């Protein structure tokens, strides 16, 4: 029986959502749990990134009208023709929700993974648009789900705060443990001093990521950074002109010699970034469960992150330095990093890698999701991680 994944984007520009959906689909297929077919909206990066899905079947549909809504006339017809056992919707507020809701009216069952899109910050961002979408279709879509998928307890709590009473399965995102060395050098190899230590960020360049506060905090400690040999490298894809604003702020703060924007990084180049970094930072004001933190731990990096990243396991395991998403707190945490010995940093990163091995590998995540599908289809018992 096939599981149909519905997602707004099947290209790498979707960042962590792309990584999570692709990896979960691959895990379910590779483990022999359920065959998966992915339905997504076509964008300018779709064809270039299609190969990243490997053997997972992917169908995309041309968008008509505003891209923010993503109306694709062929999606609903294709879904009906495929006759999946379950539809699993990844993300909210766009046309795939409408297609899922209409399909369910014919007797189908569906699961929704909001991926942080019901967290308070996310709900308040573009609030009037989401109120309109909620009134037209998304509230009915959410309430009708057989099960909601929360990445952690904080996200499950956000569902309840939003007024949803559906069963909720709490299953984190996952990651693979890398093996071997990257095939290419880190992209900063020729642009930084050979003995430089790199504090690395990768992700969307978007206000919710806290990068403005990071630059302000870095400005406060830039003398300490220079003395201890640290450089800040920011990788990622621009959204709504945020990169231009961040570059201007870095220039105004006099950070051009120690802060470097290197654009999107994928595949071997992305792996080389993690392999070549000395630490990873994510100063977000809102996250579901960030894939990049899990990737950093998989590479054995110490992580600087906010509590809004919703990974308290990292703090409990001693794998992360915690901070608030404001310049003063970030500056204080940066000073802690700069004062650590190499042995202390390596030990912190090793604890993160151990945490990933025990709790966040995709084969474990895929098996848990398959148990949820079994339960939804009345083919298995309710898993103990499903909250009712």
């Amino acid at each position: 029986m096939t599981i149909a994944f519905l997602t707004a984007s099947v290209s790498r520009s979707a960042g962590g959502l792309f990584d999570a959906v692709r990896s979960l689909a691959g895990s379910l297929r590779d483990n022999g749990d359920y065959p998966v077919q992915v339905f997504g909206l076509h964008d300018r990066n779709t064809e270039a990134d299609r190969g990243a899905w490997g053997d997972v079947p992917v169908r995309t549909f041309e968008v008509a009208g505003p891209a923010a809504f993503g109306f694709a006339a062929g999606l609903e017809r294709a879904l009906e023709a495929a006759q999946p056992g379950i539809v699993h919707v990844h993300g909210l507020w766009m046309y795939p929700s409408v297609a899922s809701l209409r399909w369910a009216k014919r007797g189908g069952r569906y699961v929704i993974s909001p991926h942080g899109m019901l967290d308070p910050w996310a709900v308040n961002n573009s609030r009037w648009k989401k109120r309109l979408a909620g009134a037209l279709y998304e509230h009915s879509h959410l309430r009708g789900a057989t099960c909601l998928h929360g990445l952690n307890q904080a996200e499950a709590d956000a569902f309840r705060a939003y007024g949803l009473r559906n069963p909720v399965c709490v299953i984190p995102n996952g990651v693979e443990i890398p093996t071997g060395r990257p095939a290419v050098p880190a992209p900063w190899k020729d642009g930084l001093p050979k003995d430089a230590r790199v504090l690395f960020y990768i992700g969307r360049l978007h206000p919710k990521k806290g990068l403005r506060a990071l630059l302000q905090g870095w400005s406060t400690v830039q003398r300490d950074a220079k003395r201890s040999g640290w450089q800040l490298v920011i990788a990622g894809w621009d959204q709504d002109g945020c990169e231009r604003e961040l570059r201007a702020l870095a220039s105004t703060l006099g950070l051009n010699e120690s802060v470097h924007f290197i654009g999107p990084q994928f595949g071997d180049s992305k792996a080389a970034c993690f392999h070549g970094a000395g630490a990873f930072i994510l100063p977000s004001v809102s996250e579901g469960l960030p894939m990049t933190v899990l990737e950093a731990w998989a590479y054995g990096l110490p992580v600087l992150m906010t509590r809004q990243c919703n990974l308290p396991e990292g703090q409990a395991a001693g794998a992360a330095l915690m901070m608030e998403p404001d310049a003063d707190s970030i500056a204080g945490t940066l000073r802690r990093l700069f004062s650590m010995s190499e042995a202390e940093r390596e030990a912190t990163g090793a604890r993160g890698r151990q945490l990933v091995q025990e709790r966040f590998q995709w084969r474990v995540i895929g098996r848990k999701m398959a148990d949820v599908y079994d339960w939804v289809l009345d083919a298995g018992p309710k898993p103990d991680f499903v909250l009712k």
Side-chain angles (χ1 to χ4, degrees):
M1 183 177 294
T2 300
I3 307 298
F5 279 13
L6 267 61
T7 181
S9 176
V10 298
S11 67
R12 287 178 166 128
S13 60
L17 177 62
F18 166 82
D19 289 333
V21 175
R22 179 192 59 172
S23 298
L24 178 57
S27 175
L28 289 165
R29 180 208 60 202
D30 293 344
N31 291 344
D33 294 314
Y34 281 99
V36 175
Q37 185 170 358
V38 177
F39 297 81
L41 307 182
H42 198 93
D43 62 33
R44 62 182 181 179
N45 299 308
T46 296
E47 295 309 319
D49 294 337
R50 191 177 292 275
W53 290 87
D55 294 333
V56 176
V58 176
R59 295 189 61 185
T60 58
F61 303 87
E62 293 292 340
V63 172
F69 177 56
F71 173 73
L75 175 57
E76 188 178 345
R77 292 194 298 270
L79 190 61
E80 183 177 358
Q83 289 296 300
I86 296 174
V87 167
H88 189 156
V89 186
H90 294 267
L92 302 175
W93 312 118
M94 295 181 69
Y95 180 70
S97 294
V98 177
S100 169
L101 186 59
R102 289 176 175 172
W103 175 81
K105 288 181 179 179
R106 303 182 181 96
R109 303 179 186 186
Y110 61 97
V111 174
I112 302 177
S113 295
H115 292 281
M117 295 181 187
L118 287 180
D119 290 350
W121 188 94
V123 170
N124 286 322
N125 188 44
S126 300
R127 187 176 183 85
W128 72 266
K129 294 181 182 178
K130 289 170 182 172
R131 283 185 172 179
L132 178 60
L136 292 175
Y137 60 88
E138 197 63 75
H139 291 163
S140 295
H141 183 230
L142 285 163
R143 287 193 295 266
T146 309
C147 187
L148 301 172
H149 167 214
L151 297 171
N152 45 47
Q153 186 60 50
E155 189 170 23
D157 293 342
F159 298 164
R160 299 300 185 230
Y162 198 78
L164 301 172
R165 297 294 176 259
N166 319 51
V168 176
C169 63
V170 179
I171 306 173
N173 278 333
V175 71
E176 299 296 343
I177 300 290
T179 58
R181 298 179 64 87
V184 298
W188 58 75
K189 179 178 181 295
D190 297 325
L192 299 183
K194 289 185 178 180
D195 59 349
R197 298 186 178 106
V198 170
L199 177 61
F200 181 52
Y201 165 88
I202 188 168
R204 284 187 301 155
L205 306 187
H206 184 276
K208 73 173 280 189
K209 298 297 184 178
L211 296 173
R212 184 177 183 86
L214 172 57
L215 293 178
Q216 293 167 336
W218 188 268
S219 175
T220 301
V221 302
Q222 61 178 316
R223 289 185 180 179
D224 301 288
K226 184 176 182 179
R227 186 163 48 248
S228 53
W230 284 92
Q231 300 272 321
L232 175 61
V233 173
I234 297 174
W237 39 96
D238 181 38
Q239 184 165 356
D240 300 329
C242 188
E243 181 176 357
R244 181 178 63 254
E245 296 174 7
L246 292 171
R247 285 180 178 271
L249 177 60
S251 181
T252 299
L253 295 173
L255 304 180
N256 290 337
E257 292 185 1
S258 63
V259 176
H260 312 273
F261 295 86
I262 62 171
Q265 303 295 318
F266 305 115
D268 287 341
S269 181
K270 179 181 176 182
C273 288
F274 278 113
H275 188 268
F280 180 79
I281 188 165
L282 184 58
S284 289
V285 300
S286 175
E287 291 285 344
L289 191 152
M291 298 284 290
T292 52
V293 170
L294 300 182
E295 290 175 306
W297 280 335
Y299 278 90
L301 295 181
V303 168
L304 289 66
M305 66 179 180
T306 59
R307 60 180 177 80
Q308 289 84 353
C309 290
N310 289 316
L311 276 166
E313 300 94 335
Q315 182 179 16
L321 307 181
M322 305 302 296
M323 59 194 180
E324 295 299 318
D326 63 77
D328 289 342
S329 181
I330 292 171
T333 307
L334 290 171
R335 288 194 177 99
R336 287 178 59 198
L337 172 69
F338 300 161
S339 68
M340 294 173 72
S341 68
E342 184 174 353
E344 289 172 326
R345 292 195 305 273
E346 288 180 354
T348 302
R351 289 190 287 268
R353 187 180 176 96
Q354 181 66 28
L355 183 62
V356 167
Q357 288 175 331
E358 294 174 356
R359 301 186 60 174
F360 294 105
Q361 292 198 71
W362 272 118
R363 58 179 176 78
V364 176
I365 307 306
R367 183 61 256 170
K368 286 188 172 183
M369 189 58 71
D371 289 344
V372 171
Y373 297 152
D374 288 345
W375 170 67
V376 168
L377 291 168
D378 300 321
K382 180 178 77 68
D384 58 8
F385 49 84
V386 173
L387 314 175
K388 297 190 77 173

